Amino acid sequence: MVPDAAVKHYKAMQRFQALVVLQAADLWSEVSLSSLDGSWAAQVPLLVPALTDVQGRAAAAGASYGALTLADQGLYEAPEHFVDPSGFAGRASDGRTLEGLLWGPAPHVKTLIAGGMAPNQALKAGGKYLTTLVRTQVADAGRAAAGVDAATRRNVGYVRMLNPPSCSRCSILAGRFYRWNNGFNRHPKCDCVHVQTTSRAAAETEGLIHDPYEYFKSLSPAEQDKNYTKAGAQAIRDGGDIFQVVNSRRGMKPGGLTTTEGTSKRGNFGRSGPRLTPEAIYGKGLSREATLKELERYGYILPGGQDPTGVNRGQVEGFGQLGRGGTRVGAREAVLRARETGVRDPKARATMTAAERRVFDAQANWDAVRAGRNPFTNAKNAKVTPEVAARVEREYRKHILGY
């Protein structure tokens, strides 16, 4: 059962989002198609402080509900530090200024009009785009503060709380125990939140572990088709692994008939050659028996059946992307130290999240190029070619400067 404190926090986040959405809609109503840039430029400075205020309130809520969530489970771990909510307000979650982020609806409207949309419809679409932006910024402030709060509590991780209706990606990410340093994947309009707990065993005891198949079965066939695509939903109904079906869309090629997902040496399909998607398999119009064989052939129906915890090695606590299953001594020891102490070495790439590693590498590679070293080779006196320098500069701009 989801702790009462987590439910109350989710409802509070909805109120915060509704508050800023109303303010944004009111300001957008002042925009004129005859002077799109000028009319919106006059409103952005009014929306920035309003959004900043709500971000701060959302961050304060995100930083404080973890203690009550743990207490609801009969658990408690004192924070070693207290989160400063102001650190999550006044900036966009991708690092941009709020002014830069909130300017986005104006060029969005122009793009739609240039693409043939009627001006009045484009203006309405711009309002919806603005709504998505401000909702996401409020939710991200609350989630980021909650994640930092979890990191300050020794031995505390989190379970991702699903708030139906939810998309297919969230449905397979939710309800699993994540360690404190696992990033919280989300998308625009995502309203999932952290539920802090101390271990997978504790999460199972409290009923927090979520079965994605049960969520799938709770939907009507039409809702299943909408959330998982028609072919994907049918593959799951026919016994396909929900994780394989959903993830196949991640590497889908143009046309939707093949995917690169799972085709690496360690992938579930794990062989050379194209991997057909469920859409391609059902598009063949084969008999049911032949279709099921194709789903099995391409790694969607698995020998172990539909396992709600998944079959990928990555879902079992290991040694991270750089640990190679524990065979890399340095990475393994860094991970073990972090688990034992609850503190990560800020310079140890093995204990960083993927996002942290991208930022770290961007800075380190830029420093190397500035010092005349090629960061992509250990060879002595390797030259920094113009191509290498340009590549490093591009990554530095993207991950450090935010543009």
Side-chain angles (χ1 to χ4, degrees):
M1 182 176 180
V2 177
D4 185 56
V7 175
K8 289 181 178 178
H9 172 70
Y10 171 66
K11 292 179 178 178
M13 293 301 296
Q14 287 184 310
R15 290 193 296 271
F16 290 141
Q17 289 175 319
L19 179 63
V20 75
V21 164
L22 288 174
Q23 292 174 295
D26 183 54
L27 293 172
W28 185 253
S29 68
E30 300 295 325
V31 173
S32 169
L33 282 170
S34 62
S35 178
L36 183 61
D37 286 353
S39 57
W40 184 230
Q43 306 306 317
V44 169
L46 303 178
L47 184 53
V48 168
L51 178 54
T52 298
D53 176 65
V54 178
Q55 279 182 309
R57 292 159 68 181
S64 59
Y65 82 101
L68 294 176
T69 300
L70 290 169
D72 280 350
Q73 302 168 65
L75 307 168
Y76 182 74
E77 291 287 342
E80 296 183 1
H81 303 278
F82 287 94
V83 176
D84 179 4
S86 66
F88 302 88
R91 299 286 296 186
S93 53
D94 63 2
R96 281 183 287 175
T97 63
L98 288 182
E99 290 85 352
L101 176 81
L102 294 174
W103 179 251
H108 182 68
V109 171
K110 293 180 181 179
T111 300
L112 294 177
I113 294 174
M117 183 178 287
N120 286 334
Q121 286 183 310
L123 191 62
K124 289 181 180 179
K128 292 181 179 178
Y129 181 68
L130 176 61
T131 293
T132 298
L133 290 180
V134 296
R135 280 176 56 90
T136 299
Q137 292 311 306
V138 173
D140 280 353
R143 281 189 290 249
V148 174
D149 179 61
T152 68
R153 301 177 190 272
R154 191 180 296 271
N155 301 319
V156 169
Y158 68 92
V159 172
R160 184 189 185 102
M161 175 179 162
L162 198 65
N163 296 293
S166 300
C167 71
S168 59
R169 292 294 307 157
C170 287
S171 74
I172 64 172
L173 292 173
R176 284 189 268 159
F177 178 74
Y178 296 89
R179 295 193 68 83
W180 54 272
N181 61 341
N182 277 111
F184 195 97
N185 294 327
R186 76 278 187 275
H187 56 80
K189 297 184 181 179
C190 177
D191 57 0
C192 296
V193 298
H194 299 75
V195 178
Q196 292 189 16
T197 190
T198 55
S199 66
R200 179 179 176 83
E204 289 175 337
T205 300
E206 294 300 319
L208 298 178
I209 296 300
H210 157 77
D211 184 341
Y213 294 104
E214 288 302 316
Y215 174 67
F216 179 82
K217 292 174 184 176
S218 74
L219 303 175
S220 68
E223 291 171 328
Q224 292 172 352
D225 291 349
K226 179 181 178 180
N227 284 5
Y228 296 84
T229 76
K230 190 172 182 179
Q234 188 59 51
I236 298 168
R237 288 192 289 264
D238 284 341
D241 180 83
I242 193 170
F243 302 95
Q244 292 297 317
V245 170
V246 172
N247 288 335
S248 69
R249 303 192 65 78
R250 190 163 53 191
M252 187 177 287
K253 293 292 187 180
L257 299 181
T258 62
T259 179
T260 58
E261 183 67 23
T263 59
S264 67
K265 184 167 60 176
R266 295 187 180 184
N268 198 64
F269 180 59
R271 66 187 76 168
S272 60
R275 183 189 190 188
L276 297 188
T277 62
E279 284 79 3
I281 293 171
Y282 284 100
K284 291 183 175 183
L286 304 174
S287 67
R288 175 174 170 75
E289 181 179 350
T291 298
L292 295 181
K293 286 183 178 179
E294 286 290 276
L295 288 170
E296 185 174 356
R297 173 188 175 190
Y298 288 102
Y300 297 108
I301 291 180
L302 305 178
Q306 294 181 321
D307 184 349
T309 63
V311 297
N312 293 332
R313 189 179 304 172
Q315 293 182 24
V316 179
E317 188 173 52
F319 295 94
Q321 289 181 317
L322 304 184
R324 287 187 180 174
T327 58
R328 280 185 169 175
V329 177
R332 182 184 70 227
E333 291 181 349
V335 171
L336 291 175
R337 280 196 303 272
R339 287 182 191 161
E340 181 181 354
T341 63
V343 178
R344 294 182 294 164
D345 181 348
K347 295 183 179 180
R349 295 178 74 250
T351 60
M352 295 178 184
T353 65
E356 289 171 336
R357 199 154 48 241
R358 287 191 290 270
V359 172
F360 179 86
D361 289 348
Q363 182 66 62
N365 291 345
W366 177 244
D367 290 344
V369 166
R370 297 275 291 174
R373 301 192 309 274
N374 187 329
F376 302 121
T377 178
N378 291 325
K380 291 184 178 180
N381 302 319
K383 293 183 179 180
V384 179
T385 66
E387 291 79 9
V388 167
R391 172 185 169 186
V392 170
E393 179 185 329
R394 183 179 69 248
E395 293 301 304
Y396 183 83
R397 290 181 183 277
K398 178 180 179 180
H399 298 296
I400 304 298
L401 302 181
Y403 67 90

